[in-house]
Amino acid sequence: SIVQNDEIFLKLLLNIYKLLTETLDMISQEQPEMAFNLFLQSAAQVNSINCNKEKFEESCCIFINSAINIFDEGRYNQNHKYKMILQLSSILLTLKISKDRISGMVDNIIKCSQKMAYREDQCKAMLIISQLYFTLFKDSKKIMDCLNRARRFADFAMTNPRNLVLFIEYLNKILYFIGQDEKVIDIKPEQIEDIIELIRGHIRTIKNIPSDDIGYLEDIEAYFNNTLKAITYRKNNSNNKDYYAAIKF
């Protein structure tokens, strides 16, 4: 019967996914980045199946969690870790599985990101994860926690003046959230002003450093000035223009 054939096909497909998991686990011993990418591709394929959602959800979670484990173990080029967080975040935004399971995966990614070698990557990771909490959960507490961590990592990363760009990325992420829903994060206009003044202070400090190698600052200042222009524009052209009007700079 058709029902029996469907059950046979379902059982066969689940066995294939089990075998694929075992195969990719073996590959990960020698080629962790390849296995990482293949686990994510496998999860995307499982996620695209529209029938028997509950039966395939477990397979999808196994693939994702296996990729997270590879990310956590760190047996690959550390310079690729930021790209891997982007890949994980992108697929989590598309998953058709329970929000509780996704939340657990995001929590694990946060723990893994604390092991990243560079403060600038840790900062960027927190900004990416804040976007996950915003898009998937509208969880104000966790969004603010990610933003606060990103701010601390940006502070630590200022041992290299080139990382001033992190503060501007941090500011733009906050402005994005406010533009989408100002009630989702607890940041007052005065706090935006403090961030703007902090960036200006760092720019002044860098300009006073006796060095010929500050050509990078031109791009950072252009990014910062464009951000300020965007705030000015929103004072007259946004749904929450009263909020932007209260930002003085």
Side-chain angles (χ1 to χ4, degrees), residues 22-57:
E22 294 170 355
T23 302
L24 293 180
D25 279 337
M26 288 188 287
I27 292 174
S28 71
Q29 301 305 309
E30 298 295 332
Q31 297 288 337
E33 287 191 57
M34 178 188 292
F36 175 87
N37 290 321
L38 290 172
F39 272 126
L40 293 187
Q41 291 173 29
S42 300
Q45 194 280 326
V46 176
N47 189 56
S48 69
I49 297 175
N50 293 319
C51 62
N52 291 297
K53 175 183 173 183
E54 65 282 355
K55 291 185 181 294
F56 289 106
E57 182 170 315

Side-chain angles (χ1 to χ4, degrees), residues 66-223:
S66 296
I68 292 173
N69 287 338
I70 292 174
F71 176 74
D72 183 37
E73 290 168 0
R75 294 181 294 104
Y76 46 81
N77 187 330
Q78 290 297 305
N79 291 324
H80 296 173
K81 208 158 190 177
Y82 173 63
K83 176 185 175 183
M84 294 168 79
I85 280 218
L86 282 174
Q87 290 175 272
L88 283 167
S89 300
S90 295
I91 195 165
L92 289 182
L93 288 171
T94 67
L95 292 184
K96 296 178 288 188
I97 63 177
S98 73
K99 290 295 181 66
D100 285 343
R101 282 188 155 177
I102 294 177
S103 180
M105 292 173 183
V106 176
D107 288 342
N108 287 335
I109 293 172
I110 289 177
K111 292 175 184 175
C112 297
S113 69
Q114 306 308 301
K115 302 177 185 178
M116 296 175 81
Y118 306 110
R119 294 296 193 186
E120 55 267 34
D121 286 343
Q122 291 177 319
C123 175
K124 290 178 180 180
M126 287 299 103
L127 294 178
I128 292 170
I129 295 169
S130 72
Q131 182 70 54
L132 286 175
Y133 281 127
F134 177 82
T135 304
L136 296 174
F137 307 106
K138 291 293 190 292
D139 189 324
S140 298
K141 184 178 183 301
K142 290 191 174 182
I143 293 169
M144 286 303 303
D145 182 56
C146 288
L147 290 175
N148 289 334
R149 291 188 188 191
R151 170 70 179 267
R152 289 198 299 273
F153 289 136
D155 279 328
F156 293 141
M158 278 306 296
T159 51
N160 181 350
R162 293 174 184 270
N163 287 328
L164 176 57
V165 70
L166 296 174
F167 281 104
I168 308 172
E169 291 176 3
Y170 165 74
L171 174 59
N172 274 278
K173 182 61 72 175
I174 290 172
L175 293 173
Y176 169 81
F177 291 146
I178 292 168
Q180 297 297 309
D181 182 358
E182 67 177 276
K183 296 178 181 178
V184 81
I185 58 173
D186 183 23
I187 292 184
K188 304 291 189 293
E190 307 83 64
Q191 292 171 277
I192 302 293
E193 294 170 9
D194 290 342
I195 298 167
I196 291 172
E197 187 51 42
L198 175 68
I199 295 169
R200 284 175 167 164
H202 279 305
I203 290 174
R204 288 192 294 268
T205 299
I206 293 170
K207 285 182 175 179
N208 288 327
I209 295 174
S211 171
D212 295 329
D213 185 25
I214 60 168
Y216 62 87
L217 189 59
E218 184 176 341
D219 289 339
I220 292 177
E221 284 190 285
Y223 184 17

